[in-house]
Amino acid sequence: RDRGDMLTQAERDGFRDLGYVIRRGALSEPQLVEYRAAVDRVVAHCEGPDGYGDARRGPDGQIWGVNNIFHPSVREPALLSALGEPGILGVISDLVGPELQYHLCTLLVNPAELSYRLRWHRDSAFDGDAEEAALLTALDTHVQLNGALRRDHCLSIVPGSHRRVMTPGERDAMQTNPDGAMPGQMAVELDAGDIVFYNSNLLHRGDCAEGDNRQTLHYAVLAHHPDAPTGPDGQPWLTDPDFLGTLPPPLRALFDNWLRSG
């Protein structure tokens, strides 16, 4: 790995203490060009006559995300290979260790005529309620990332909230206005090529305005613990030997560990 891909101790400490680390310029211009074109093709397929059943749609049917992007009908080799790049998989390894397994790969996009605002949540607890002991055991179990292919100011987080229960102020905000302002909130401002790596137990939400041209890779990888089964879960196309046989070693290990966890 190039040393520029490797994390400093301060970055590793920030991920553990604050719940996130931002890598500026992690994606090169050639990568951005390649990945943007691939995302355009995925969205065009979802909007076409054959469609795709795992696209996220707003009330008027416009697409704001695409789940399970390694399904054969929308699979783009560039977006698969992106997962194995040192600037992504290598950074995740620096954060939670070398034994990793696939979890999910999704696209977040925004059409011209749709705004949306998600409510505050933790991925492990939609209402935000979680025991502190459970949160503390999950400090190095996984990494979630948003990789901005274009400017993306859509993610807001509460730094450090992944380590503790909600404060009275946070609980009140969650109950009275769950998609409004949250005490201690911070907007994660990404330019094209930036990646934020974060703990999904942070209090966080998405907020995308109409007209924003969002193209963001939303990937998640788990630390592999053979004694804690977590998948496969309904993605049989990823168990196909023809698919697995095409993977380079870093990605093959990622999916082999995922298969062993089923």
Side-chain angles (χ1 to χ4, degrees):
R1 289 174 58 191
D2 185 288
R3 292 195 63 83
D5 293 324
M6 301 180 72
L7 294 177
T8 65
Q9 187 60 50
E11 287 175 313
R12 290 193 292 270
D13 291 344
F15 179 81
R16 189 172 180 86
D17 296 341
L18 299 176
Y20 75 98
V21 62
I22 298 174
R23 302 282 281 173
R24 302 291 182 189
L27 301 175
S28 68
E29 189 61 32
Q31 287 174 316
L32 290 173
V33 170
E34 183 179 24
Y35 300 162
R36 287 168 182 163
V39 171
D40 284 341
R41 289 192 293 270
V42 171
V43 173
H45 179 86
C46 294
E47 293 176 336
D50 296 331
Y52 174 59
D54 223 349
R56 302 182 183 185
R57 297 179 183 271
D60 59 358
Q62 292 193 66
I63 294 169
W64 63 269
V66 184
N67 295 331
N68 295 323
I69 60 170
F70 299 153
H71 188 282
S73 66
V74 292
R75 185 183 300 156
E76 286 285 339
L79 302 182
L80 176 62
S81 65
L83 177 60
E85 287 289 339
I88 291 181
L89 197 61
V91 170
I92 295 172
S93 178
D94 281 354
L95 291 171
V96 297
E99 288 296 318
L100 302 170
Q101 69 184 61
Y102 166 80
H103 185 56
L104 65 83
C105 287
T106 292
L107 301 179
L108 300 174
V109 298
N110 200 58
E113 300 174 2
L114 173 69
S115 295
Y116 68 87
R117 173 174 286 194
L118 305 182
R119 59 170 289 158
W120 289 95
H121 64 283
R122 309 182 200 268
D123 284 4
S124 62
F126 192 67
D127 63 0
D129 269 320
E131 295 292 334
E132 185 171 285
L135 295 173
L136 291 176
T137 61
L139 295 181
D140 56 2
T141 60
H142 68 282
V143 179
Q144 190 158 281
L145 69 89
N146 284 9
L149 306 184
R150 302 185 184 277
R151 176 186 178 275
D152 186 333
H153 293 193
C154 299
L155 176 68
S156 292
I157 63 173
V158 179
S161 59
H162 67 306
R163 302 177 61 93
R164 56 167 177 76
V165 299
M166 288 190 292
T167 66
E170 290 165 349
R171 192 176 302 278
D172 180 65
M174 188 73 78
Q175 292 173 351
T176 60
N177 189 16
D179 64 356
M182 178 69 69
Q185 72 181 39
M186 183 194 90
V188 178
E189 299 184 353
L190 304 177
D191 290 327
D194 297 345
I195 303 177
V196 58
F197 299 85
Y198 62 104
N199 186 306
S200 66
N201 281 325
L202 282 173
L203 291 172
H204 65 281
R205 71 172 175 84
D207 181 7
C208 200
E210 179 181 336
D212 281 356
N213 188 7
R214 189 184 198 191
Q215 285 189 318
T216 295
L217 308 180
H218 180 62
Y219 293 178
V221 172
L222 304 181
H224 178 59
H225 297 293
D227 57 343
T230 53
D233 54 355
Q235 299 180 71
W237 53 89
L238 298 181
T239 69
D240 183 349
D242 289 339
F243 165 73
L244 296 171
T246 66
L247 298 176
L251 285 180
R252 181 61 189 259
L254 199 71
F255 281 92
D256 282 348
N257 283 342
W258 175 71
L259 289 168
R260 281 193 286 268
S261 296

